Amino acid sequence: MDTRRYRMVVTSGLDYVSTGAQVDGRLRRWLKEPPKSYDVAAFAEGRNEIARGVTLDHDSATGTSGAYGRWRLREALPGGTWQTTVLICQTGDGPTRVQLDVEHLPDDPEVLPVPAKTPRLAGSLLHVLNARDGLADVTAQPQVVEAEDVDAVVDELCDETRRLPVVVASTPYGVDFDDWLEDTVDPLVRPLAGLAILYLLSPEAETRFNRALEYHRVYGGGVRTFLPGVDPAWPADGQRHRVMSRRMITEQPSRARRILAQLPQRLAARTPLPAELDSVPVMRTRARNDSAAPELERLRVENEALLEILEEAGREQRVRADEIRDLKYELRKAEDNETLLIAEYDEQYQELHTTRAQVLALQKHLVSIGAGAAAYTPVTTPDDGPESFEELLGRIADLPRLHFTGSRKVTLELDAQAYGSSWVRMTWDALLALRDFAEAAAERRTTRDFKQWCADAPDGVCTISPRKIVRDESRSVKSNSAWRRERTFPVPEYVDPARKVFMGAHVRVGGGNTIAPRLHYHDGTRADHGIYVGYIGPHLTNTLT
């Protein structure tokens, strides 16, 4: 599914006729104003070419079952055509749906489309349509939530009819609320117009919100993106809804803006269209009145039989579209189920991590005072692990005998994932365990491999479950040249003259099968080279992916 397209799907708060009038007016204004400055009057005069290489087409239909209207702008530029489509549709007594698509159509089919940015037209339409998604208002700017609004916002989060994600921002303590909204939150969420429901909690609302959603809290200037299907009573569900820290937002605003937009863009691309929008026939461009109209009219008559064939093809296409929509629905259900399993696994891992940290601290404490000495006093260890993969990469250099040679870009992209917030913690635990193993091997305290060492490690060291460690890839992976190349990563020349080695050994990060990431490494401890981590990123290609 193409995530490079911008897609907005909302419900208009106006009736069908008023919606059409507002869309037509806003579209014309958008085309007439700079930087486009197109000749919109040409369209009103019956010509669809409103500038050199720019066409605007419109079609509509009304029947007993409903009505639709559609505007399509095509702008031919070097390398491809930018296409903007606005569609409004109403079926029976139902609400009027509005869809806005912007996409790049390359001239060369082998070339990837240019990613579409959020058009100013989206905010302009949202402003006049009283747009909604389920129970929530969809606005171009964040709505300020006061304490008395919290219950309604919680209802919107739990609304089963909601299609869009909800982005909820908080305000740091001691920071002026209006300045934070204007200088930080507004630019952060600007690309999300039409892609998400946007909220900023007032300080009073934040307290009440976090009391109502104790497992889904938002605080300290952080931002949480709530996927559809929030379950406020289930602790594991909180893991599904990703949090962005204040530090990321303030220290790297451009990167934070890009990462925050990735999930709503992906959801917009993969979520099936409402049935009434999906059933609208493909637009067939018909010539508008101009000097060539008589000749074009003759051609249309001569090709009437061809049009009938096209109509039949269109009906067949709609049947296939229904089948594809059903498959998309089943796929999304499967993805949601897998996400819930990952969230539940993450919750269990967090509990296990806390328990193991306490045990490790107690072991070290007993060693320091002598086993069997004085009565036990509770010992705690601060959880100072990294909060993001970016921070994790910055701290690998501090781990002795551990070397990262992989692609930082691939690893950093994990920070944009929608679920598995414990992935960072799990990866860090694996790196700490590799560090302790490498030190033990260098000091000749072990002759075993990493998996064996974790299965029977001495007290006071970091380990992970041996079940998460895979010594080597399967025969089918190693015998496939393309898959083998994927798992071949750089090392220094003194490790291997070819400056690269196949790293079949890896650690499973997370509880998913092909969704959760992998950490691939080379064990060079026997030659006193330490451990080389060649890859931290999404699951690489195999027979299951």
Side-chain angles (χ1 to χ4, degrees), residues 53 114 119 121-122 130 139 154 157 258 296 316 318 362 418 526:
V114 177
L121 179 60
N130 301 330
T139 57
V154 172
L157 291 175
R258 186 176 68 255
L296 291 171
E316 182 67 20
R318 288 192 290 274
L362 177 59
R526 295 184 186 276

Side-chain angles (χ1 to χ4, degrees), residues 6-74:
Y6 171 87
R7 168 166 287 175
M8 176 183 83
V9 176
V10 295
T11 299
S12 173
L14 310 178
D15 60 49
Y16 177 80
V17 174
S18 300
T19 298
Q22 289 290 356
V23 168
D24 188 75
R26 290 286 162 161
L27 178 63
R28 290 170 185 264
R29 178 184 298 181
W30 178 60
L31 295 174
K32 187 166 54 176
E33 293 176 345
K36 294 189 180 297
S37 303
Y38 293 149
D39 181 15
V40 181
F43 185 75
E45 294 167 1
R47 291 179 283 119
N48 67 342
E49 187 173 25
I50 58 176
R52 184 179 179 85
V54 180
T55 59
L56 177 62
D57 293 296
H58 176 263
D59 71 336
S60 61
T62 303
T64 56
S65 60
Y68 75 85
R70 175 169 43 198
W71 297 256
R72 186 182 67 193
L73 173 73
R74 282 183 166 174

Side-chain angles (χ1 to χ4, degrees), residues 255 259 262 389 408-417 538:
R255 183 164 182 266
I259 290 175
Q262 285 175 346
F389 280 98
R408 290 179 55 87
K409 180 181 178 182
V410 170
T411 304
L412 290 174
E413 288 175 353
L414 293 175
D415 278 330
Q417 295 299 312

Side-chain angles (χ1 to χ4, degrees), residues 284-329:
R284 296 189 179 93
T285 305
R286 297 178 185 269
R288 295 170 64 84
N289 294 329
D290 57 24
S291 58
E295 177 64 16
L296 291 171
E297 183 64 27
R298 184 184 65 80
L299 291 174
R300 281 199 295 270
V301 172
E302 291 178 353
N303 288 299
E304 185 175 350
L306 177 59
L307 288 175
E308 291 179 0
I309 295 174
L310 290 173
E311 290 290 347
E312 180 61 30
R315 285 191 289 271
E316 182 67 20
Q317 182 184 48
R318 288 192 290 274
V319 171
R320 295 291 173 262
D322 290 340
E323 295 174 352
I324 293 173
R325 185 174 62 251
D326 291 340
L327 288 172
K328 286 180 179 179
Y329 175 76

